[in-house]
Amino acid sequence: GGKSTVVRELVNQLDDAVAIYFDDYETPETYPKSPAAIVGDGADFNEVKSPLLAQHLCSLKNGEPITSPKSGMVVQPAKIIVFEGPLGRAQQETGQYIDYLVFIDTPLEVGLARRFSRSLGNADIEAMSKDELQNQLKNVQWLADNYLLWMRDAYLAQLQQVRPDSDIILDWQQAPEALASAIIDALAEANLRFGDIWARRHI
């Protein structure tokens, strides 16, 4: 809930950071054909496959540039890699590269409302043709139907698996700037190897 905004603010507040987003790497092969079945089988998030994302995380940590599959732009490595993703360490393929895990604790109904808001808010409904409007409504119906069918269970499984393994849990109701500052302070307190960045920020 609101992760992307916090990630952008976090990168802005740091001197030497780069962001990488799970959503930029989604393909038809990322998720299994029956996500509802995975939730029913105990929500094994290792069934979610992101080989290119894992490769790019490894490259950035090794100081090597990557090319974004979404924008085609070259992304240069930085001292801090801010990785936005929903599965934390519960997905070993990418989770193995996480040094410090932040969980933004957002109620499910807030997350669902934001999904609906994004789906409708990004559409220029008045300019849509009848067919386009029908497709938009079908997308909203798909979201509602699938939320009831399996997505809610998946989010609950995420709470059970990702949240307890987090290094810090933050309240979603804080402003993005405050959340980013809290993350930076928590990293400093954890004494991760970014001493020069913290020193410059607090001068």
Side-chain angles (χ1 to χ4, degrees):
K3 297 185 303 299
S4 299
T5 305
V6 176
V7 165
R8 289 192 294 270
E9 181 62 32
L10 186 56
V11 171
N12 286 338
Q13 290 193 27
L14 293 167
D15 291 324
D16 189 4
V18 64
I20 185 169
Y21 299 90
F22 180 90
D23 290 353
D24 289 351
Y25 290 80
E26 287 183 320
T27 71
E29 290 74 38
T30 298
Y31 300 101
K33 295 187 182 301
S34 178
I38 287 187
V39 173
D41 290 338
D44 182 3
F45 290 122
N46 288 307
E47 293 293 327
V48 178
K49 306 298 183 183
S50 306
L52 181 61
L53 173 58
Q55 177 187 328
H56 280 187
L57 285 170
C58 182
S59 295
L60 287 172
K61 292 194 76 169
N62 288 331
E64 303 166 359
I66 63 169
T67 300
S68 168
K70 181 177 182 179
S71 67
M73 302 289 290
V74 174
V75 178
Q76 297 295 335
K79 181 165 290 188
I80 302 175
I81 303 162
V82 185
F83 167 41
E84 182 207 342
L87 303 179
R89 299 186 179 105
Q91 187 210 30
Q92 174 63 21
E93 186 178 39
T94 58
Q96 63 181 311
Y97 298 110
I98 297 174
D99 297 309
Y100 194 89
L101 180 59
V102 177
F103 189 91
I104 301 178
D105 201 359
T106 307
L108 293 185
E109 70 273 13
V110 173
L112 180 61
R114 285 176 170 171
R115 287 287 299 270
F116 278 121
S117 180
R118 285 198 301 270
S119 179
L120 296 173
N122 293 334
D124 186 358
I125 294 177
E126 293 184 358
M128 285 183 174
S129 66
K130 180 180 178 180
D131 289 343
E132 290 172 335
L133 186 57
Q134 286 178 337
N135 286 333
Q136 184 72 19
L137 291 174
K138 287 179 181 178
N139 289 335
V140 172
Q141 182 179 7
W142 179 93
L143 175 58
D145 290 345
N146 280 274
Y147 185 84
L148 295 173
L149 181 64
W150 66 269
M151 290 171 67
R152 182 176 184 275
D153 289 338
Y155 289 134
L156 289 172
Q158 181 195 39
L159 287 172
Q160 294 168 359
Q161 295 187 38
V162 180
R163 190 181 190 277
D165 196 36
S166 302
D167 295 292
I168 185 174
I169 299 170
L170 298 174
D171 186 348
W172 70 279
Q173 297 181 82
Q174 300 181 68
E177 298 83 0
L179 287 169
S181 292
I183 293 168
I184 292 174
D185 290 340
L187 289 171
E189 187 175 345
N191 197 28
L192 294 184
R193 297 181 297 277
F194 310 129
D196 57 334
I197 290 177
W198 315 135
R200 289 199 297 275
R201 180 176 181 270
H202 292 289
I203 287 176

